[in-house]
Amino acid sequence: MTDDSRPTFTPSKLRPIFCSLFFVAAVAAAICAVASSRTSGQGGSPNQSVAAQKIAPWVTEHTANGQQAEFFVVLADQADLSPAAALGTKAEKGRFVHDALWNKAQTTQGPILQWLAERGVAYQSFYIVNGILVKGSQEIAQALASRPDVARVEGNPAIHNDLPEPGAVTQAPLQPGAPATIEPGITYTHAPDVWALGFTGQNVVVASADTGQRWTHNALKPHYRGWNGVVANHDYNWHDSIHDSVGNPCGNDSPFPCDDFFHGTHTTGTAIGDDGMGNQIGMAPGAKWIGCRNMDVGNGTPARYMECMQFFLAPYPVGGNPSQGDPTKAPDITINSWGCPPSEGCSFDTLQAAVEAQRDAGIQMVVAAGNSGSACSTVTDPPSLYDASYTVGALNTGTDTIASFSSRGPVTIDGSGRTKPDITAPGTGTRSASNASDNAYTTASGTSMATPHIAGAMALLWSARPELKHNISFSRTDMDSAAHFISSTQCGTAGPPNNVYGWGRVDALAALGPGCTPGWSAGPSLPSVGVRLVGVHFSGNGLFYGMGGRSSDSPGSDFTNPFEYNPGTNTWTTKAATYPDNQVNNMACGELFESGTHYIYCVGGSAAGATTASARVFRYNPVSDTIDTLTTADNWPGDAAGTILPGGFTVANNKLYILGGFNINVASTNQIWQFDPTAAVGSKWTQMVNTPEGVMYAPTCTIGNIIYLAGASDFSGGTVIDTTNSFSFNPATNTIGAIAAIPRATGETRALTFNGLMLVMGGGRVAPNPSSEVDAYDPGTNTWAVNSPVPAFVTARRNFPTDTDGISHIWLAGGYDSTGVPTASMEIFCAAGPSPTPTPTPTATATATATATPTATATATATATPTATATPTATATPVQITLRARGYKVHGLQKVDLFWNGPTSGFIDIYRDGGLIATVAAQGGFYTDNIDRTGKGTYVYRVCQTGTQNCSNQVTVKFGSG
């Protein structure tokens, strides 16, 4: 098949397409069209009536009377991308999705391409959906539709709308020292507060599919991935899908980023722009950008949109083709301020497969809702209506009122009733970069302007929490949950979410999560005293679950429902789902993916007071709150005797491993079993090599691709004892390895993977156990540390649920305390945050160069020194301790985060309104004051080094008018 990324046919005389969803001077616009969904239909018999049913009405209409038209031939055999959900990094997801799509197209399109070539029919091959763009007659369309390997034939429609003009263009001052200007929309979404924490979007790449970009613009050039400060390299950073325009100022196939209108430069600027001289127009100025032109002065075609999405999936060099695509160079986020209206021939599922491919590859596609409001059910145009699109509505900037033009849900065109938009952001009077010159700025209004606010907010989140980059679902949930909710019943229930504001106005700061005191702190108690539960941090929604367990050792005390802890609301909930039986103590549980869905799988277990054990496997879907039990053919073979409980357990590469076990009141066991949720029924379990000795209740975790076990219970002399058994297991080679022994004997607890370390969490039965000690194993040095970097927790305990997000938080609750009594108390560990560095402008200079620009205008600025960021203290006199603060509300309750620079040892006294409220370790540099009051309030803070007169500046925080 052809690798050519460009059409091999003579450009058709299509009517131009306007695909920009924005308002300028209160004028609305919307549009577009394109081909395909991942839905695999099977071709029918080659009879004409069946073939006709496969052909979209638009194609029939535009090939009538001997006309030729462009249409997409979508193949029945589409790639299965669901395994990508189980992959743990964006790089793995991107590579898998690209290869699966590419290989499917390569192996299935050949017969059709040969048929087309033999008849001299022009075509362009696509792989992001398995389809071919053809220019041909109705007879060609019918012949292709009659093939069993063709699912459908869809049009490549074109439309035209008059483009509104941008607002007045202003030239920014060129001299250094110009007043700093952070645009109102940027401030209203709290982006500067995130900058102050040191997160500006660094290590995140944002892509823009639009009218192009003026890459030499002072606010864009320093942030362009293709610019290293000296020379430009546009390979893998720019693609032009405009091949057949006439009279376009950028021409066709531009070899460098060029904007033929202003729209793409404007939206890109709102996401990442900052000229280093005071024009702070972008949400995430530390991010990099790349671009693709998919509109010709607002005129687009479905093929153009598809070509840009395909380029973003795996960028390739300028002048190259998709066979050179490199998915490791894919962006993290894409801005899509355009649409594809069904009123012009674009089916509701047109583009769906391409959007879902980006999501499956770990690329967040942020999409404008459209400007067809204010009526309900006006979110109609692909890609805004899709679940995989993060759809953005527009607010009147500076207010929490919806812009009149902003499209609303529910989505009815596909029969889904889906709530849209997902979230809202400022979208009126937005000032950003213009393509008029390198220092030109203009204003515009529309959901197009709101969309890059969200793209930038996501970049800020991922720069602060890079472990979330691959997890589109959780990242969206996190941002939605942190949004400032705005109620509306105009188009349905008040929510959240609702069909006007979605989850509400984006809050970039709150999305980073509530502030916390570094170290251990008390959390809310479990819904009941509980022991022998399994803790699972569920990445699908970011919540912590207690699975199984019981309230005492008495028969009949077994729990019947999962417990859910929400870190955002700091509350526990007993879920409605019911366990399949009462044998739910000492289970092995872990999060696995199957057919693209996250589940918590649980294996084995026993009932309180029983000496028998279950081998059944069930899975819990926390999103739907449902439990289903696997067939008995998938029971755990390690409990063939009916009396064996699982030993240590962990997840590695989407497989659950059980190491050892406990033959109740008899002995420990030494088998290792691997469970694969994707394998066929009856074939999910594989026995591996045995452990060096019998282990039970064994702390076990996975770091990289290696499983580590350290400390384990054993059964000796009729009693359970603690051991220092320690070893590694490599699932790939099925071999056991030696590691340094844990410094203490323990068991009946979990091991957690935390920032590349193995943490063994307290536990143990034999005095002086149970313990609260945290032992940290570093596989890189094969050494152990005690209570460092994570200190001991407060209440010694064993047989308790615990888990971590792997980066910053650890949760534990319940268990037997040191007297053997079940407890309900909870403790939460929060790692110290970064030392705040208020640097909203990450680039040092805006440098003039002789590099070719997309217009005849040369870059007009000399090297400029960036303006200094305002200091967080009101005095000009330096002090040893510098204090900053920010106030916010969680569910209406006042909270204040305090940040200080200065001492790195000793303790800090924290004063509110002159009174001492806390003393904390100085090293953390961070404290959250949970005032937990509602309404208005004014508070004055100061911190001092304990035992000295060395104090910080005073900071005042006001809620309301104070």
Side-chain angles (χ1 to χ4, degrees):
M1 69 181 263
T2 182
D3 292 332
D4 189 5
S5 65
R6 295 178 176 79
T8 59
F9 46 78
T10 303
S12 60
K13 304 295 184 181
L14 296 178
R15 291 172 293 134
I17 284 186
F18 166 53
C19 301
S20 177
L21 293 180
F22 66 99
F23 264 60
V24 178
V27 181
I31 321 222
C32 268
V34 190
S36 79
S37 88
R38 189 79 52 212
T39 318
S40 297
Q42 294 299 318
S45 64
N47 109 4
Q48 194 169 5
S49 63
V50 173
Q53 294 173 15
K54 295 183 183 180
I55 302 175
W58 185 94
V59 178
T60 301
E61 177 187 349
H62 287 80
T63 57
N65 302 318
Q67 299 180 85
Q68 289 204 342
E70 294 173 356
F71 47 84
F72 280 93
V73 179
V74 182
L75 275 70
D77 192 0
Q78 297 287 324
D80 177 13
L81 303 183
S82 61
L87 301 177
T89 67
K90 180 175 179 291
E92 291 173 310
K93 289 176 183 289
R95 173 60 65 186
F96 173 84
V97 169
H98 169 267
D99 290 353
L101 293 170
W102 178 263
N103 292 337
K104 180 63 69 175
Q106 290 287 316
T107 57
T108 58
Q109 291 186 12
I112 298 178
L113 299 184
Q114 181 179 351
W115 188 91
L116 293 170
E118 289 172 349
R119 287 154 181 80
V121 178
Y123 62 84
Q124 179 184 1
S125 174
F126 285 83
Y127 74 87
I128 192 169
V129 293
N130 194 9
I132 306 164
L133 178 65
V134 173
K135 183 177 181 182
S137 65
Q138 191 166 106
E139 290 73 24
I140 293 292
Q142 290 172 344
L144 289 167
S146 70
R147 297 176 61 100
D149 54 352
V150 170
R152 62 190 185 276
V153 177
E154 293 190 349
N156 187 32
I159 56 176
H160 176 75
N161 284 283
D162 293 330
L163 293 177
E165 294 299 316
V169 175
T170 60
Q171 304 295 319
L174 301 182
Q175 71 277 13
T181 302
I182 301 177
E183 294 304 318
I186 308 300
T187 301
Y188 202 60
T189 56
H190 297 154
D193 296 317
V194 180
W195 303 343
L197 298 176
F199 306 117
T200 60
Q202 58 268 46
N203 302 314
V204 177
V205 177
V206 179
S208 174
D210 212 296
T211 60
Q213 294 80 27
R214 184 184 180 97
W215 79 271
T216 55
H217 194 287
N218 295 337
L220 270 59
K221 183 176 181 178
H223 316 284
Y224 176 44
R225 192 174 70 177
W227 174 248
N228 67 3
V230 180
V231 296
N233 181 0
H234 304 301
D235 288 344
Y236 303 98
N237 302 311
W238 164 255
H239 180 71
D240 191 355
S241 71
I242 308 302
H243 314 303
D244 54 2
S245 66
V246 177
N248 188 286
C250 294
N252 295 318
D253 302 314
S254 175
F256 50 78
C258 178
D259 186 350
D260 58 29
F261 187 45
F262 85 101
H263 191 257
T265 300
H266 195 279
T267 55
T268 305
T270 301
I272 55 83
D274 188 336
D275 66 354
M277 297 179 290
N279 288 286
Q280 295 174 278
I281 58 173
M283 291 284 293
K288 295 296 184 180
W289 68 270
I290 64 174
C292 184
R293 186 165 67 129
N294 67 1
M295 289 182 279
D296 165 15
V297 194
N299 304 321
T301 70
R304 292 171 177 175
Y305 298 122
M306 295 279 280
E307 194 171 311
C308 280
M309 284 191 277
Q310 188 166 271
F311 171 75
F312 288 150
L313 196 68
Y316 45 89
V318 172
N321 62 67
S323 69
Q324 300 168 280
D326 184 352
T328 66
K329 293 180 171 60
D332 301 301
I333 302 161
T334 65
I335 309 168
N336 300 273
S337 293
W338 49 270
C340 187
S343 61
E344 299 294 339
C346 188
S347 301
F348 69 81
D349 58 352
T350 297
L351 296 181
Q352 182 174 345
V355 174
E356 291 173 352
Q358 292 207 37
R359 176 204 60 194
D360 294 340
I363 301 170
Q364 177 61 74
M365 193 165 173
V366 185
V367 178
N371 302 314
S372 300
S374 60
C376 301
S377 295
T378 46
V379 176
T380 58
D381 301 351
S384 64
L385 71 151
Y386 302 140
D387 180 69
S389 297
Y390 200 27
T391 305
V392 185
L395 298 171
N396 291 306
T397 299
T399 74
D400 286 340
T401 59
I402 199 71
S404 61
F405 53 76
S406 188
S407 292
R408 292 141 166 87
V411 176
T412 57
I413 193 168
D414 63 353
S416 68
R418 186 178 300 114
T419 299
K420 287 287 181 177
D422 297 301
I423 199 164
T424 49
T428 61
T430 302
R431 177 179 176 269
S432 189
S434 168
N435 70 333
S437 72
D438 288 342
N439 64 332
Y441 297 83
T442 191
T443 59
S445 299
T447 54
S448 280
M449 282 64 248
T451 300
H453 283 87
I454 300 300
M458 189 66 73
L460 294 178
L461 173 63
W462 285 352
S463 68
R465 299 192 60 187
E467 77 278 8
L468 298 181
K469 269 189 180 183
H470 70 287
N471 196 330
I472 301 298
S473 176
F474 176 59
S475 298
R476 285 176 53 168
T477 299
D478 183 81
M479 191 158 288
D480 291 342
S481 300
H484 174 74
F485 175 59
I486 309 169
S487 178
S488 175
T489 58
Q490 178 196 344
C491 297
T493 59
N498 59 55
N499 286 299
V500 177
Y501 298 94
W503 288 90
R505 185 235 311 152
V506 65
D507 187 330
L509 180 63
L512 269 59
C516 64
T517 303
W520 290 100
S521 60
S525 294
L526 277 167
S528 164
V529 294
V531 297
R532 302 186 184 276
L533 302 87
V534 179
V536 179
H537 173 253
F538 189 66
S539 66
N541 59 16
L543 307 184
F544 174 66
Y545 290 86
M547 301 298 296
R550 62 192 189 225
S551 59
S552 73
D553 293 339
S554 302
S557 63
D558 313 285
F559 294 133
T560 57
N561 313 90
F563 298 144
E564 176 187 85
Y565 172 71
N566 186 325
T569 60
N570 196 33
T571 56
W572 283 96
T573 303
T574 301
K575 305 302 288 183
T578 302
Y579 296 128
D581 51 57
N582 66 343
Q583 299 182 86
V584 292
N585 299 282
N586 303 304
M587 297 187 296
C589 299
E591 181 181 358
L592 301 172
F593 305 89
E594 202 278 317
S595 298
T597 301
H598 300 241
Y599 297 96
I600 297 174
Y601 279 80
C602 291
V603 179
S606 63
T611 56
T612 58
S614 172
R616 64 88 187 91
V617 181
F618 71 82
R619 64 184 188 182
Y620 174 53
N621 185 333
V623 176
S624 62
D625 192 22
T626 55
I627 289 176
D628 59 281
T629 305
L630 276 63
T631 174
T632 56
D634 290 325
N635 281 0
W636 175 42
D639 184 34
T643 57
I644 299 175
L645 293 169
F649 56 90
T650 185
V651 172
N653 296 317
N654 200 45
K655 297 178 177 64
L656 178 68
Y657 290 86
I658 298 177
L659 284 70
F662 180 28
N663 192 351
I664 300 174
N665 295 338
V666 177
S668 59
T669 66
N670 66 349
Q671 294 179 343
I672 299 179
W673 288 93
Q674 170 193 283
F675 174 80
D676 182 352
T678 65
V681 172
S683 302
K684 297 184 185 297
W685 288 99
T686 303
Q687 187 171 3
M688 312 298 282
V689 67
N690 289 341
T691 62
E693 54 270 319
V695 290
M696 61 194 219
Y697 303 141
T700 309
C701 74
T702 303
I703 303 176
N705 295 313
I706 305 298
I707 293 171
Y708 296 88
L709 181 150
S713 300
D714 203 353
F715 196 73
S716 177
T719 60
V720 176
I721 63 171
D722 308 323
T723 76
T724 58
N725 291 332
S726 303
F727 59 87
S728 65
F729 168 60
N730 186 331
T733 60
N734 196 25
T735 55
I736 299 292
I739 67 170
I742 187 172
R744 66 185 173 96
T746 189
E748 298 184 87
T749 186
R750 290 281 305 281
L752 309 177
T753 302
F754 191 75
N755 290 311
L757 302 176
M758 175 190 195
L759 303 183
V760 178
M761 307 295 294
R765 176 185 291 252
V766 181
N769 286 330
S771 172
S772 62
E773 181 173 306
V774 178
D775 298 277
Y777 174 72
D778 185 341
T781 60
N782 192 31
T783 58
W784 288 89
V786 177
N787 296 330
S788 177
V790 176
F793 43 94
V794 176
T795 301
R797 58 185 90 201
R798 63 178 172 87
N799 302 105
F800 57 94
T802 182
D803 207 354
T804 176
D805 63 4
I807 300 292
S808 61
H809 286 77
I810 300 171
W811 302 272
L812 61 84
Y816 299 99
D817 67 15
S818 58
T819 67
V821 174
T823 180
S825 67
M826 183 182 193
E827 297 182 52
I828 303 169
F829 176 78
C830 180
S835 178
T837 307
T839 53
T841 307
T843 55
T845 60
T847 308
T849 74
T851 304
T853 62
T855 71
T857 306
T859 49
T861 59
T863 301
T865 304
T867 56
T869 304
T871 58
T873 171
T875 67
T877 304
V879 293
Q880 186 176 357
I881 307 174
T882 302
L883 177 67
R884 299 175 53 260
R886 61 109 172 176
Y888 58 100
K889 291 184 178 181
V890 176
H891 299 289
L893 299 178
Q894 299 169 356
K895 298 181 184 295
V896 176
D897 285 345
L898 302 174
F899 311 89
W900 60 87
N901 291 328
T904 57
S905 61
F907 294 89
I908 290 288
D909 293 332
I910 300 173
Y911 295 86
R912 185 210 307 144
D913 297 333
L916 180 66
I917 60 171
T919 299
V920 299
Q923 185 177 11
F926 179 82
Y927 178 79
T928 296
D929 183 16
N930 295 303
I931 302 171
D932 288 345
R933 299 173 187 164
T934 60
K936 302 175 181 178
T938 300
Y939 309 96
V940 179
Y941 290 90
R942 185 178 64 158
V943 301
C944 301
Q945 196 168 13
T946 301
T948 73
Q949 297 299 310
N950 181 25
C951 297
S952 72
N953 53 296
Q954 289 189 349
V955 175
T956 300
V957 177
K958 292 185 178 183
F959 291 89
S961 60

